[in-house]
C-alpha cells in the first residue's frame, strides 16, 4: 500500500479519479473500499441520506470487481463505489422514488444509466433519498423513512444539520458532501443536480437533454428530466458522465444519437480567451449579497485565468418560473397516471369498486406536493385552459431557448448563481411558492435543454457553501468541464470538507 492509502481514514477523502487509480494499481481492493464506505454510511445514518443499503449485494459486486481487476478485464471505473438517487430503478435494491406509492417496489431491471455505470465497473453502495418523484427543492417532500430511522425525517445538510441539503437530489448531495460515497447519481428536471450540489459544496453536471438515457428513471417531466453525476470535482464528474451517456434509442426515443464522448480529454485545455456571458437578469435584486460576492470573486479568478467576461441578457428569465411550473406539472400529471393501483405500486386495501380503488390508492400513495402538481397539470391541460396555459407556456419555452442562442452568439459559456441564497433552514419555506421562486436561475437552462454545472466558489451566510452555475450550448459538456476543472486547479473550494467528516 502507498502512503495516502495506509490509513483507512484517508480512503473517503479520495475522489473517483484517485480511487480508480488506486484500485487498478491494487493499492486497495474493491471489497475493502466498499466496506469502508458502508461503515461510514452506517455511522452517519442521522443524516438520513440512504433509503436502501444491502451490504451483501454491495460486497458481492465488489468481489466481482476485484476478480475483474485480477484477471485483467477491469472497466474504467472498476471497483469505484457510488450510490444512486432513488429515482433510478435497480434490480438489486428497492426503488421508491421517495414515494409511499413505490415504498416496496422492486424493479425487474436496471435503469440504463445504472447498467452503464455497472459496465464501467462501478459498485453500488445503495439508494439515496430524494423528493417524491423528484418534485422539490429541499428534499422535504420525501415520504420515505431513511435507513436507521423509524419515521420520515428530513435529510440533513452536513455543513449544518439544521439546514436543507437542497433537492430533489438531496440524499445524493448529503452522501457525497459527508464522504459517505465518493460520488452519486442525480437527476435534474429544473435544477435538482445543480442546486443540491451548490448547497452542499459539490460539483455536479446536468448534460444536454438526451445525452443520458431516461430509460429506468422514474418519470417526472419527460421533456426535462436528465441524469448526471454529483461528485467533488469536475474531473470526477467527467469520468462518471463519460460512463453514463450514450445513445439508447431502442429504449428512450429522445436519447440523442451522438457517439459516446470521453469528457476527460479536454479538462486541461487553456481557457485563455474564453468568453463568459454574464446575464444581467441573474444579478438583480433577488440575489443575496453573500452569494453575489462569492460569484464575483470567482469571476475575477476566471479573468485571471484568461477568460473574458461579456455582458449578455436572458430577457425571459423571470418567465421561466410560470413556464416551468405549467409544463412540468402537465407532464407529471400524465406520467403519474400509471400509478393507479393496478399495474404496480401501492393499492388501497379497502374499496368498493374500481373508481373507488383508484381514488383511495392515489389519495394514500401520493404526498401533498405530488397531488398539487397533478391538479395543476390536469387543469392546464384541460379543455378550455390548454390554449391559455399549456400552449402559451410552450411558446414561451421556445423563446427562452432562442434567447440562449442569441446570447451564445457573443459568448462561449454563461455564468451566474445557481440559487439566489445559500441552503435555508429546514422548515423555513412554509409556502411551496417559496421553493418554486428559488429555482429561478436553474429553470431557464432546463427549459432550453442545455447542459449546466454547479461549481463550488466559496461560502456565504452561516458558513454555507455557494455554487456558481455554468451553462453551455448544446453538447458543450467538455467545455463546461474544462472551465470548471481549470478553476478547480486554481482554487480549493471544491476540496473543503464539512467539520466532522
Ligand atoms: N425544484 C424543481 C421542482 O420542484 C426541480 C426539481 C428537479 O429538478 N427534479 O420541480
Amino acid at each position: 500500500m502507498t502512503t495516502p492509502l495506509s490509513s483507512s481514514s484517508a480512503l473517503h477523502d479520495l475522489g473517483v479519479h484517485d480511487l480508480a487509480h488506486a484500485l487498478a494499481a491494487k493499492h486497495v481492493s474493491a471489497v475493502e473500499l466498499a466496506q469502508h464506505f458502508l461503515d461510514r454510511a452506517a455511522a452517519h445514518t442521522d443524516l438520513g441520506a440512504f433509503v436502501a443499503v444491502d451490504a451483501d449485494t454491495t460486497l458481492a459486486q465488489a468481489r466481482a470487481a476485484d476478480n475483474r481487476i485480477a484477471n485483467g478485464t477491469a472497466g474504467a471505473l472498476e471497483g469505484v463505489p457510488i450510490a444512486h438517487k432513488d429515482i433510478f430503478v435497480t434490480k438489486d435494491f428497492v426503488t421508491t422514488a421517495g414515494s409511499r406509492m413505490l415504498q416496496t417496489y422492486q424493479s425487474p431491471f436496471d435503469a440504463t444509466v445504472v447498467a452503464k455505470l455497472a459496465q464501467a465497473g462501478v459498485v453500488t453502495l445503495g439508494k439515496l433519498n430524494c423528493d417524491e418523484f423528484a418534485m422539490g427543492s429541499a428534499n422535504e417532500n420525501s415520504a420515505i423513512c431513511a435507513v436507521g430511522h423509524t419515521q420520515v425525517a428530513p435529510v440533513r445538510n452536513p455543513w449544518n444539520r439544521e439546514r436543507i441539503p437542497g433537492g430533489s437530489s438531496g440524499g445524493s448531495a448529503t452522501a457525497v458532501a459527508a464522504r459517505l460515497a465518493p460520488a452519486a447519481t442525480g437527476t435534474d428536471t429544473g435544477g435538482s443536480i445543480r442546486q443540491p450540489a451548490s448547497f452542499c459544496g459539490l460539483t455536479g453536471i446536468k448534460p444536454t437533454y438526451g445525452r443520458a438515457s431516461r430509460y429506468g428513471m422514474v418519470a417526472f417531466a419527460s421533456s426535462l428530466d436528465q441524469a448526471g453525476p454529483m461528485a467533488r470535482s469536475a474531473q470526477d464528474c467527467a469520468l462518471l458522465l463519460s460512463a453514463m451517456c450514450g445513445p439508447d434509442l431502442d429504449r428512450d426515443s429522445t436519447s440523442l444519437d451522438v457517439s459516446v464522448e470521453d469528457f476527460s480529454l479536454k479538462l486541461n485545455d487553456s481557457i485563455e480567451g474564453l468568453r463568459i456571458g454574464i446575464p444581467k437578469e441573474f444579478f438583480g435584486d433577488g440575489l443575496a449579497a453573500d452569494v453575489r460576492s462569492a460569484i464575483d470573486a470567482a469571476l475575477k479568478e476566471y479573468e485571471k485565468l484568461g477568460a473574458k467576461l461579456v455582458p449578455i441578457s436572458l430577457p425571459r428569465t423571470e418567465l421561466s418560473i410560470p413556464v416551468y411550473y405549467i409544463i412540468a406539472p402537465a407532464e407529471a400529471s400524465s406520467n403519474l397516471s400509471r400509478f393507479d393501483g393496478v399495474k404496480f405500486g401501492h393499492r388501497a386495501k379497502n374499496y368498493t369498486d374500481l373508481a373507488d380503488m383508484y381514488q383511495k390508492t392515489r389519495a394514500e400513495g401520493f404526498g401533498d406536493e405530488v397531488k398539487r402538481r397533478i391538479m395543476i397539470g390536469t387543469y392546464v391541460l384541460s379543455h378550455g385552459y390548454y390554449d391559455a396555459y399549456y400552449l402559451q407556456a410552450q411558446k414561451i419555452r421556445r423563446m427562452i431557448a432562442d434567447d440562449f442562442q442569441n446570447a451564445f452568439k457573443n459568448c462561449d459559456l454563461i455564468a451566474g448563481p445557481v440559487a439566489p441564497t445559500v441552503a435555508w433552514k429546514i422548515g423555513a419555506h412554509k409556502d411551496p411558492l417559496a421553493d418554486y421562486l428559488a429555482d429561478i436561475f436553474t429553470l431557464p437552462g432546463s427549459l432550453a435543454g442545455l447542459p449546466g454545472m454547479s461549481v463550488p466558489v466559496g461560502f456565504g451566510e452561516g458558513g454555507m457553501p455557494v455554487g456558481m452555475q455554468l451553462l453551455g450550448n448544446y453538447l458543450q459538456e467538455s467545455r463546461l468541464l474544462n472551465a470548471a476543472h481549470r478553476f478547480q486547479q486554481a482554487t480549493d473550494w471544491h476540496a473543503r470538507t464539512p467539520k466532522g467528516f
Side-chain angles (χ1 to χ4, degrees):
M1 264 202 189
T2 56
T3 336
L5 298 175
S6 56
S7 101
S8 67
S9 69
L11 288 175
H12 54 265
D13 292 326
L14 299 180
V16 172
H17 174 267
D18 293 341
L19 288 175
H21 281 275
L23 283 154
K26 303 198 178 93
H27 291 154
V28 66
S29 74
V31 166
E32 200 180 336
L33 207 49
Q35 190 63 58
H36 179 76
F37 280 104
L38 289 171
D39 291 346
R40 279 188 69 78
H44 294 290
T45 51
D46 60 307
L47 295 171
F50 281 89
V51 290
V53 286
D54 177 5
D56 290 346
T57 299
T58 300
L59 293 171
Q61 290 182 7
R63 273 192 296 278
D66 280 331
N67 287 338
R68 286 189 292 270
I69 292 168
N71 67 27
T73 57
L77 299 173
E78 199 66 58
V80 175
I82 74 163
H84 293 296
K85 180 177 183 179
D86 199 21
I87 199 96
F88 293 95
V89 301
T90 42
K91 61 176 167 17
D92 295 332
F93 296 86
V94 65
T95 301
T96 70
S99 182
R100 267 190 303 275
M101 190 60 98
L102 291 173
Q103 198 150 18
T104 56
Y105 178 65
Q106 190 62 53
S107 168
F109 66 96
D110 280 333
T112 296
V113 161
V114 171
K116 277 179 157 291
L117 284 165
Q119 269 160 29
V122 158
V123 169
T124 306
L125 290 169
K127 303 294 287 293
L128 297 163
N129 217 335
C130 60
D131 283 307
E132 186 172 6
F133 293 105
M135 298 176 190
S137 305
N139 217 123
E140 292 176 308
N141 297 337
S142 173
I144 299 298
C145 190
V147 173
H149 291 247
T150 50
Q151 54 191 23
V152 177
V155 180
R156 310 269 168 182
N157 188 318
W159 291 93
N160 179 337
R161 285 177 161 82
E162 301 311 310
R163 306 255 182 162
I164 56 120
S168 63
S169 313
S172 302
T174 287
V176 181
R179 278 47 175 166
L180 311 185
T185 52
T187 61
D188 191 311
T189 302
S192 283
I193 288 174
R194 290 163 285 164
Q195 186 255 32
S198 168
F199 284 1
C200 289
L202 303 176
T203 308
I205 181 163
K206 161 208 141 23
T208 306
Y209 179 79
R211 269 279 199 194
S213 171
R214 288 183 298 107
Y215 183 70
M217 252 165 65
V218 177
F220 162 15
S222 305
S223 76
L224 295 151
D225 297 344
Q226 194 54 209
M230 298 166 75
R232 298 208 291 271
S233 67
Q235 185 180 39
D236 286 358
C237 282
L239 288 169
L240 290 161
L241 191 66
S242 305
M244 291 166 76
C245 291
D248 191 25
L249 291 156
D250 291 345
R251 292 183 290 192
D252 171 6
S253 61
T254 61
S255 136
L256 287 174
D257 196 7
V258 289
S259 50
V260 182
E261 211 175 302
D262 181 348
F263 296 111
S264 304
L265 292 178
K266 295 187 179 143
L267 285 176
N268 287 307
D269 284 8
S270 162
I271 58 166
E272 185 71 49
L274 182 80
R275 297 167 306 160
I276 302 182
I278 310 297
K280 64 170 190 283
E281 294 78 4
F282 281 36
F283 291 85
D285 290 344
L287 182 60
D290 56 331
V291 175
R292 184 175 184 139
S293 66
I295 305 277
D296 285 346
L299 292 172
K300 286 217 173 68
E301 185 64 43
Y302 268 108
E303 284 184 303
K304 273 202 239 155
L305 293 168
K308 292 194 173 39
L309 307 185
V310 185
I312 59 161
S313 173
L314 294 170
R316 293 172 184 89
T317 298
E318 272 188 17
L319 290 178
S320 66
I321 299 174
V323 167
Y324 173 88
Y325 281 99
I326 287 171
I327 291 174
E331 295 184 19
S333 71
S334 164
N335 274 325
L336 270 53
S337 65
R338 75 192 64 178
F339 301 107
D340 57 4
V342 177
K343 293 184 280 294
F344 39 51
H346 173 75
R347 179 184 294 177
K349 284 211 169 52
N350 305 308
Y351 48 87
T352 49
D353 55 18
L354 185 63
D356 191 44
M357 191 279 281
Y358 288 157
Q359 280 165 20
K360 291 211 170 99
T361 294
R362 289 166 69 82
E364 292 167 8
F366 292 138
D368 289 350
E369 183 60 27
V370 174
K371 286 177 185 159
R372 186 176 298 122
R373 298 204 191 191
I374 291 173
M375 286 190 279
I376 294 171
T378 308
Y379 180 83
V380 299
L381 289 174
S382 60
H383 183 73
Y385 296 104
Y386 181 94
D387 287 4
Y389 294 103
Y390 184 71
L391 204 60
Q392 198 67 9
Q394 290 288 26
K395 287 180 185 163
I396 302 170
R397 180 181 190 176
R398 162 59 59 193
M399 293 161 108
I400 289 169
D402 289 346
D403 287 345
F404 276 107
Q405 291 315 307
N406 269 331
F408 282 126
K409 284 181 192 145
N410 300 313
C411 62
D412 306 305
L413 292 181
I414 292 172
V418 173
T421 64
V422 295
W424 51 90
K425 295 209 169 82
I426 291 170
H429 285 185
K430 305 268 180 271
D431 179 351
L433 271 183
D435 273 9
Y436 299 177
L437 293 173
D439 290 339
I440 182 159
F441 302 130
T442 49
L443 299 178
S446 295
L447 289 163
L450 296 168
M453 284 194 79
S454 176
V455 183
V457 292
F459 295 88
E461 181 264 315
M464 299 306 291
V466 176
M468 178 161 87
Q469 182 173 209
L470 295 174
L471 292 164
N473 211 342
Y474 301 112
L475 302 177
Q476 297 284 307
E477 290 84 357
S478 278
R479 189 173 244 166
L480 282 175
L481 289 158
N482 165 224
H485 180 68
R486 292 304 299 230
F487 179 80
Q488 293 183 339
Q489 299 278 283
T491 59
D492 73 344
W493 300 115
H494 65 292
R496 307 287 180 94
T497 313
K499 257 199 214 90
F501 298 97

